Amino acid sequence: ANIILLGPPGAGKGTQARRLVEERGMVQLSTGDMLREAKDSGSEMGNRVAEVMAKGQLVTDEIVIGLIEEKLSGGGEGFIFDGFPRTLAQADALGELLAKMGAKLDAVIEMQVDDEALVSRITGRSTCGGCGEVYHDQTKPWPADGKCAKCGSTDVKRRADDNEDSLRTRLMEYYKKTSPLIGYYYHAGDLLTVDGLAEIEDVAGEIARILDGVS
Ligand code: AP5
Ligand code: ZN
């Protein structure tokens, strides 16, 4: 199945996408991860977007649509679009790209959370530099020996945009430019909603139920 995980920063899109990769062999396409990789590699595009991302603003449609287009082939058990699309123009572009491959979206899963929860989720987040596993200071702390439970790395990474100032901008961008996609996909008949405030396991269960229903 091809699905979109839609929700504000900190909703848990990346956490759930990684589980679906492990448990179902789906392919995660995270434009945020692709942009951070471009930045780490020191490419010209990566340097250009680094400052925009650190401030919490959206990168141009042209860049992210290009990134998705490059990765959109094969797809095994289906694609999980994580953090893409984020504008109506990106949603239209995705529809066209999938149609060209003879594929379609099976579900758009909106992860509902409230702003208060997002602040503590974002400011408590860290990511493993070795394997990308996502941790949280309170809800999913690093093992006591400081080694990642998945890969054993001790490289704890924090994102440049995970501070309260950038988060405020990220939320504004979400409400202004991304939340209209909820109406867009509702009218297309693809929208389903999960309670993103539930425990990670319970959210995973709800998503599994949706996937079993569409595939
Ligand atoms: P991106 O990397 O996509 O970041 P984001 O949308 O802000 O989302 P996050 O990764 O912050 O949150 P998440 O929902 O994945 O939450 P997570 O699972 O980590 O984008 C970054 C930037 O790149 C953008 O600001 C923009 O500049 C640019 N960009 C990217 N895509 C773009 C596009 N398409 N167009 C234009 N620009 C683009 O969880 C968060 C924390 O909560 C973790 O610590 C986790 O452990 C914890 N947690 C998760 N679920 C639960 C739960 N159920 N209960 C308790 N804790 C939980
Ligand atoms: Zn790791």
Side-chain angles (χ1 to χ4, degrees), residues 4-210:
I4 295 175
L5 295 181
L6 185 64
K13 305 180 294 292
T15 299
Q16 297 298 333
R18 290 178 58 81
R19 284 184 66 124
L20 293 171
V21 170
E22 275 176 28
E23 292 169 7
R24 293 180 185 247
M26 294 173 76
V27 176
Q28 176 186 14
L29 295 181
S30 159
T31 41
D33 286 349
M34 294 174 202
L35 291 165
R36 278 183 291 278
E37 276 163 27
K39 182 189 135 197
D40 291 344
S41 76
S43 74
E44 194 258 329
M45 183 273 278
N47 293 334
R48 220 167 351 119
V49 299
E51 201 181 326
V52 175
M53 289 176 75
K55 277 196 239 160
Q57 294 164 350
L58 292 189
V59 169
T60 64
D61 289 336
E62 200 192 344
I63 289 179
V64 293
I65 292 167
L67 286 170
I68 287 287
E69 199 171 1
E70 272 173 36
K71 296 278 165 80
L72 209 55
S73 62
E77 300 301 310
F79 291 109
I80 310 154
F81 297 97
D82 163 10
F84 179 92
R86 264 173 149 96
T87 63
L88 291 167
Q90 291 178 23
D92 283 335
L94 177 60
E96 284 166 22
L97 288 171
L98 287 171
K100 251 194 266 172
M101 300 165 61
K104 63 174 181 58
L105 280 174
D106 296 292
V108 177
I109 303 177
E110 185 206 351
M111 305 182 69
Q112 282 185 337
V113 283
D114 56 47
D115 288 3
E116 250 169 275
L118 299 178
V119 177
S120 65
R121 282 203 190 171
I122 291 287
T123 51
R125 170 169 56 189
S126 60
T127 308
C128 172
C131 71
E133 185 69 2
V134 184
Y135 290 92
H136 189 280
D137 297 343
Q138 278 86 43
T139 59
K140 193 182 166 187
W142 277 74
D145 63 2
K147 288 189 185 148
C148 173
K150 287 268 154 73
C151 77
S153 166
T154 54
D155 181 13
V156 181
K157 280 199 166 163
R158 299 219 182 236
R159 273 167 50 176
D161 59 346
D162 278 355
N163 57 73
E164 282 198 48
D165 258 3
S166 304
L167 177 59
R168 212 168 302 124
T169 306
R170 286 158 69 192
L171 283 173
M172 284 222 309
E173 293 277 75
Y174 179 79
Y175 290 119
K176 267 198 297 196
K177 298 174 183 165
T178 309
S179 67
L181 298 185
I182 296 169
Y184 176 102
Y185 286 119
Y186 174 79
H187 285 289
D190 294 327
L191 192 76
L192 294 153
T193 299
V194 302
D195 176 12
L197 289 172
E199 301 280 327
I200 292 175
E201 289 300 318
D202 297 336
V203 180
E206 278 191 64
I207 293 175
R209 210 152 346 118
I210 290 174

